[in-house]
C-alpha cells in the first residue's frame, strides 16, 4: 500500500497528518489522520453492485440488532450503492447519508440540500474532521497530554472550519464535525458561532448542525451548545472502551469526558449512536454503557467509571431514539411510538426499564419494524 501510494523515506507529512517512521527513518505503515488520504487515493473502487450486495448482508445484522435506521458518513461509493439498493426495493432501514468534505463543492453546485430525499434515503450533513483520536494522541487538546508536550493534530485550521461551514450553510447543507479533543470542540463551536445560523426561511438548512463525539469538552464550553442549536452526537460505548486510556492521557480532565449528563444539564440536544465499525453497532450495548458506565465484564466496578455522568434508562433510550431522529431532522414524525408517527420500533424480550441495568446489553431482540413492516424477526 505504501509503495502504491508513493510513500517513502523522504515523503513529507501532509498538513494535518503524520507518517509514522521507525528509527531508520522508513515509514512503518501507520498513517495518522490526513496522511491516510495518501493511501485512500489509490484504493481501487468497488462496483456499486458489489457494495450494494454487501449492504444487504450488513443490513440484516443491523435489523437483528434492533436498528430501524442509521446515519452514515461513508464516501460517495456508498451513496451510489444505497441509491441502487433503494431502486431495487432492497433498502429496509432508513438511511441519512452524510456528504464527505471532498464532495462539498459538487453537492453545493448540484443544489443538494440536507434533508433532500425520501423516507428511506435522504441527504444528511456534510462531514468535516477537526482533529484525530484519543488513542494515538492526535485529538486536539487545549493542554498537553499527561506526561507529554504534545497537543494533538488539528486536521482543519479554524479558518478552514469557518470557510467550510459557511460554504455549506450558503448551500442549505448542515454540518457534522468530528471533534474529540477539547480544543477541537472549542474550535468547532467558535466556527459555528462565527458563521451564525444562516439566512432565515427557505435558505436555512433543514437539519441541525452537530458535533460528532464531543469526547472531551471544557466545562466553560458546555453552555455554548444549546444557544448555537448544535447537537451533541455521542457514542456511549466509547466511554467504556476508552476509560483506561482516557485516565492515562487526560487525567483529571476526564471529569468532563463523555459527559452526557453534563451535556443534558446544559440544555443541549443529545443524540446517541455507535460509531460502527469503530464500536459494535448494537444500540443495547450503548444503552448499557450510558446507564452503567461499565464494560460487559462489570469493570471497573458497580458504580462504573465517572459515575456522576451516568444516565437513566429513559434518558439513554431517548437519546438513541428521539435524539437521533431530531438530529436527522425527523423529530416531528419519528423517534417515539405514538399515533400519527412512523411505525418504526423494536420489540425486545425483556423491558430495559425494569430489569437490572447491567443485563440490558444481553436482552434479545425479537423483532424490528420499519414503516409498519416487520423487517426482521416475528
Amino acid at each position: 500500500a505504501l509503495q502504491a501510494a508513493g510513500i517513502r523515506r523522504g515523503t513529507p507529512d501532509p498538513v494535518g497528518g503524520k507518517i509514522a517512521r521507525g528509527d531508520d527513518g522508513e515509514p512503518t505503515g501507520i498513517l495518522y489522520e490526513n496522511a491516510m488520504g495518501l493511501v485512500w487515493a489509490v484504493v481501487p473502487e468497488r462496483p456499486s453492485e458489489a457494495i450494494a450486495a454487501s449492504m444487504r448482508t450488513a443490513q440484516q445484522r443491523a435489523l437483528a440488532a434492533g436498528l430501524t435506521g442509521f446515519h452514515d458518513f461513508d464516501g460517495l461509493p456508498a451513496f451510489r450503492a444505497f441509491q441502487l439498493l433503494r431502486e431495487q426495493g432492497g433498502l429496509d432501514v432508513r438511511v441519512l447519508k452524510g456528504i464527505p468534505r471532498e464532495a462539498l463543492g459538487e453537492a453545493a453546485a448540484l443544489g443538494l440540500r440536507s434533508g433532500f430525499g425520501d423516507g428511506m434515503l435522504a441527504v444528511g450533513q456534510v462531514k468535516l474532521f477537526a482533529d484525530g483520536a484519543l488513542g494515538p494522541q492526535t485529538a486536539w487538546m487545549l493542554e498537553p497530554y499527561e506526561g507529554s508536550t504534545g497537543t494533538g493534530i488539528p486536521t482543519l485550521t479554524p479558518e478552514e472550519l469557518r470557510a467550510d461551514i459557511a460554504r455549506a450553510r450558503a448551500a442549505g447543507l448542515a454540518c457534522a464535525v468530528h471533534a474529540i479533543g477539547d480544543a477541537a470542540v472549542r474550535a468547532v463551536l467558535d466556527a459555528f458561532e462565527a458563521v451564525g445560523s444562516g439566512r432565515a426561511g427557505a435558505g436555512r438548512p433543514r437539519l441541525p448542525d452537530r458535533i460528532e463525539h464531543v469526547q472531551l469538552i471544557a466545562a466553560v464550553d458546555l453552555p455554548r451548545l444549546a444557544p448555537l442549536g448544535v447537537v451533541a452526537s455521542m457514542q456511549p460505548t466509547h466511554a467504556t472502551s476508552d476509560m483506561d486510556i482516557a485516565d492515562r492521557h487526560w487525567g483529571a480532565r476526564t471529569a468532563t469526558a463523555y459527559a452526557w449528563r453534563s451535556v443534558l444539564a446544559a440544555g443541549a440536544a443529545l443524540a446517541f449512536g455507535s460509531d460502527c465499525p469503530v464500536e459494535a453497532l448494537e444500540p443495547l450495548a450503548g444503552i448499557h454503557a450510558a446507564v452503567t458506565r461499565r464494560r460487559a465484564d462489570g469493570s471497573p466496578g458497580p458504580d462504573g467509571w465517572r459515575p456522576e455522568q451516568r444516565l437513566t434508562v429513559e434518558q439513554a433510550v431517548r437519546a438513541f431514539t428521539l435524539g437521533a431522529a431530531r438530529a436527522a431532522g425527523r423529530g416531528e414524525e419519528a423517534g417515539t411510538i405514538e399515533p400519527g408517527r412512523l411505525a418504526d420500533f423494536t420489540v425486545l424480550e425483556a423491558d430495559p426499564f425494569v430489569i437490572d441495568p447491567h443485563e440490558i446489553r444481553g436482552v434479545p431482540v425479537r423483532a424490528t419494524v420499519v414503516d409498519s413492516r416487520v423487517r426482521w424477526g416475528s
Side-chain angles (χ1 to χ4, degrees):
L2 294 176
Q3 288 179 339
I7 300 173
R8 302 178 178 84
R9 176 193 290 264
T11 303
D13 291 339
V15 175
K18 179 182 178 182
I19 301 169
R21 306 172 196 273
D23 294 337
D24 58 359
E26 293 291 338
T28 65
I30 298 176
L31 305 175
Y32 294 108
E33 309 321 322
N34 289 353
M36 292 186 288
L38 301 174
V39 165
W40 280 119
V42 298
V43 174
E45 184 174 318
R46 295 177 67 206
S48 297
E49 292 79 3
I51 298 175
S54 295
M55 285 176 170
R56 287 180 180 273
T57 302
Q59 179 176 245
Q60 287 304 303
R61 180 178 167 187
L63 288 166
L67 285 166
T68 63
F70 54 84
H71 304 176
D72 176 78
F73 289 110
D74 211 329
L76 296 182
F79 195 11
R80 288 191 287 270
F82 277 127
Q83 293 177 70
L84 185 62
L85 201 60
R86 179 74 175 117
E87 292 168 10
Q88 296 169 346
L91 190 59
D92 289 332
V93 291
R94 300 186 192 275
V95 179
L96 183 74
K97 183 70 193 76
I99 301 294
R101 180 184 186 237
E102 57 268 25
L104 171 56
E106 288 86 347
L110 195 60
L112 286 178
R113 290 173 48 81
S114 292
F116 173 76
D118 61 24
M120 296 303 294
L121 178 60
V123 174
Q125 292 92 345
V126 176
K127 181 67 179 289
L128 306 174
F129 286 83
D131 68 343
L134 166 61
Q137 298 186 48
T138 54
W140 185 18
M141 307 297 298
L142 293 171
E143 300 292 336
Y145 288 85
E146 298 292 301
S148 170
T149 59
T151 56
I153 298 177
T155 50
L156 289 173
T157 66
E159 293 75 22
E160 288 172 323
L161 272 174
R162 288 194 296 271
D164 283 348
I165 292 171
R167 189 179 184 189
R169 179 79 78 259
L173 292 161
C175 291
V177 191
H178 166 115
I180 287 180
D182 51 6
V185 172
R186 179 171 294 178
V188 175
L189 290 171
D190 288 345
F192 282 135
E193 189 172 52
V195 172
S197 59
R199 295 173 295 169
R204 186 173 179 174
R206 183 177 142 202
L207 273 58
D209 293 311
R210 48 204 269 189
I211 300 180
E212 298 298 320
H213 312 310
V214 201
Q215 287 186 12
L216 185 66
I217 182 171
V220 295
D221 288 326
L222 278 165
R224 302 178 65 194
L225 288 160
L228 291 172
V230 176
V231 174
S233 175
M234 305 175 75
Q235 300 76 31
T237 53
H238 278 319
T240 48
S241 293
D242 296 353
M243 59 187 182
D244 296 330
I245 199 167
D247 283 334
R248 187 181 316 136
H249 290 332
W250 290 343
R253 286 173 285 186
T254 56
T256 53
Y258 316 89
W260 317 310
R261 182 172 287 276
S262 295
V263 167
L264 286 178
L270 179 64
F272 275 164
S274 67
D275 202 29
C276 178
V278 175
E279 298 279 355
L281 60 77
E282 287 76 10
L284 287 171
I287 294 169
H288 168 267
V291 174
T292 68
R293 307 275 288 198
R294 300 168 72 187
R295 292 176 176 160
D297 64 2
S299 61
D303 291 335
W305 180 68
R306 289 286 183 179
E308 66 275 11
Q309 294 296 343
R310 291 183 315 203
L311 298 182
T312 66
V313 174
E314 190 276 337
Q315 289 170 326
V317 170
R318 180 175 291 270
F320 268 107
T321 53
L322 185 58
R326 287 172 172 167
R330 310 196 74 173
E332 298 302 315
E333 60 180 358
T336 62
I337 302 173
E338 56 185 307
R341 291 196 169 226
L342 295 171
D344 297 355
F345 57 88
T346 310
V347 182
L348 302 177
E349 187 71 33
D351 186 349
F353 289 88
V354 300
I355 64 175
D356 182 336
H358 193 53
E359 297 177 359
I360 290 174
R361 65 178 296 128
V363 173
V365 175
R366 292 186 55 182
T368 304
V369 176
V370 182
D371 199 24
S372 305
R373 286 177 48 200
V374 177
R375 311 283 177 147
W376 186 88
S378 60

